[in-house]
Structure formats: structure tokens, C-alpha cells
Amino acid sequence: MNRTLRLSLVAGVLMVSSAVLAKIMTPTERLAKVRAPLVLETAIPTSFGDWTEEKELTAQVINPETADALAKIYTQTLSRNYINRNGERIMLSIAYGEDQTSGLQLHYPEVCYPAQGFNLASAVKGTLQTNLGELRVKRLQTSLGTRYEPVTYWTTMADKVVLGGYDTKFAQLGYGFRGQIPDGLIFRVSSISNDPQQAFKVQEQFVRQIADALPLESRTRFIGTPR
């Protein structure tokens, strides 16, 4: 067998192997279809702890993504305002997507806010202590004109909290090796405040109380498994 023929055979074997491997590695099981349906409107309580929904202020919640992006990426979205007994207000925004493969994964606020004209002063990873354990989050300081909006958010992929970059890629690979297409959501709380540190404290109280009130059967889909 001459050298040219040997190289052709090797190349052919590699091409077939790559095709087979790609087929095996292509996830096909949508976790959203095999788990209990998730309905944001009913899963998120309108009243819990010190907080009650304030319906007349829903228009204050700004979504920094375009309507086209929302329709393409997310299966459901939910926006609400809450007020506590001290008159402190929180804006809640949740966006859920059934397909968290690379092309359709969640968009992160530190990208979306500036894209819609907001100034992003800082974006810092941190933790938030809940009664269920430690939750990994990101805290942003954003502004649009005279509107100062501190933001606390996290994202989940199936039952894991992911915060972008390699964190998200490793989670995608892990589910992909198991042949699974994970669902996921972005859970964002924010408030209008010129005092970001105080705003973050109020947001932490809000998250702690809403975490306690989430339905047991879907809690990990909202906050992962806290450490």
C-alpha cells in the first residue's frame, strides 16, 4: 500500500470517527420536557416575609434587553415590584429559557445594560447568605441619567448556579456529556437608590425571604443548590 493510499485511509477513518463522535456528543434530551413544568407567574409568590407585590408600579421595572432578544431566547419572563413594611421597594425580573445551548443561552446584565445606554460602574462577584446556604451572585452598579440602579443577580443552568465565562461552559459540557439540554433562568433584583451598599443589604433581605417562600419542587431551579 503506497503512502498516498495510507494517508487517504487514515483521513477517512478520522472523518468517520469525528462524525460518529459529534453524533454521540449532540445532546437530545431536553430537561425542561422531562421535569415538572415551570410557570413563573404561579411559582413566584406575590406576598412573602415582609414583602408584598405593588402592582401599580410595574412600569418602573426596566428590561435592558430588546423585545426581539426576549422572544428569541426566553420561554417566559416575569417582572414585578415589591414593597416591604418600611416602604422599601425591590424590582424583580426573571427570564426563563428551555434551551441553554451555546446559541440560546441567557444574556448577562453587565452586557445588556450598557447595550441599552446604561452606565456600568462596577460588576463584582460575591455571595449572598440565605437560610438554605450560600448563594453565588453578581452585584452591579448601573445608572441611566439620574436613575441609579444597583443590581443583584445570578443565573441557573438546570440546578446549578452559573455566572458566565468558563463557569457556564463547564456546566454546558457536563450536561452535554450526559446527552442533556439544560434549561435555565436569570434571577435579577434591583432598586432605585443612590446608596448602593444599603440597596444591596435590602436586596439580600429580599432574596433570603423569597428563597424561603419558593415551592420546594422547583426551588433548585431558581437558586440552584446553595453551598
Side-chain angles (χ1 to χ4, degrees):
M1 184 182 299
N2 62 44
R3 184 171 182 271
T4 301
L5 182 56
R6 286 199 303 270
L7 290 175
S8 297
L9 287 173
V10 171
V13 170
L14 289 175
M15 289 176 63
V16 172
S17 299
S18 297
V20 172
L21 183 61
K23 180 67 175 178
I24 294 173
M25 289 294 294
T26 300
T28 56
E29 182 187 28
R30 286 179 176 265
L31 292 182
K33 301 301 182 184
V34 299
R35 302 203 289 179
L38 185 66
V39 182
L40 299 182
E41 188 68 35
T42 55
I44 302 300
T46 57
S47 180
F48 55 90
D50 296 331
W51 299 90
T52 304
E53 183 183 6
E54 193 174 23
K55 294 184 178 181
E56 63 270 22
L57 291 180
T58 301
Q60 283 196 0
V61 181
I62 289 181
N63 198 310
E65 296 191 67
T66 64
D68 288 343
L70 289 171
K72 180 180 179 181
I73 300 170
Y74 304 119
T75 310
Q76 300 176 57
T77 60
L78 176 71
S79 295
R80 287 182 186 164
N81 274 280
Y82 289 85
I83 186 170
N84 67 9
R85 64 187 65 178
N86 297 323
E88 297 166 319
R89 291 183 169 88
I90 288 290
M91 296 175 289
L92 171 67
S93 177
I94 304 174
Y96 168 75
E98 291 186 353
D99 184 343
Q100 288 306 291
T101 50
S102 296
L104 295 173
Q105 69 185 36
L106 305 171
H107 287 181
Y108 296 93
E110 59 264 45
V111 176
C112 298
Y113 270 79
Q116 297 302 314
F118 281 77
N119 176 61
L120 179 63
S122 66
V124 179
K125 289 182 180 180
T127 58
L128 188 154
Q129 192 63 44
T130 74
N131 294 325
L132 306 169
E134 192 176 69
L135 179 64
R136 294 190 300 134
V137 301
K138 267 194 176 179
R139 295 184 176 93
L140 315 181
Q141 294 187 41
T142 75
S143 62
L144 182 64
T146 59
R147 176 190 174 109
Y148 290 86
E149 185 177 347
V151 178
T152 299
Y153 87 90
W154 65 90
T155 59
T156 64
M157 186 173 292
D159 295 327
K160 299 178 182 294
V161 170
V162 293
L163 295 179
Y166 289 114
D167 196 22
T168 299
K169 291 299 182 185
F170 282 134
Q172 285 176 331
L173 285 172
Y175 288 109
F177 276 123
R178 295 192 291 272
Q180 297 172 328
I181 300 172
D183 56 355
L185 59 81
I186 180 165
F187 197 114
R188 172 168 61 92
V189 297
S190 62
S191 45
I192 307 300
S193 174
N194 294 331
D195 185 346
Q197 298 311 312
Q198 176 60 25
F200 289 139
K201 288 180 181 179
V202 175
Q203 291 170 17
E204 181 162 350
Q205 178 205 49
F206 177 89
V207 171
R208 186 180 301 116
Q209 292 187 4
I210 199 172
D212 288 340
L214 290 170
L216 291 176
E217 65 274 13
S218 59
R219 180 178 286 165
T220 57
R221 297 171 77 175
F222 286 106
I223 63 171
T225 305
R227 295 180 296 183

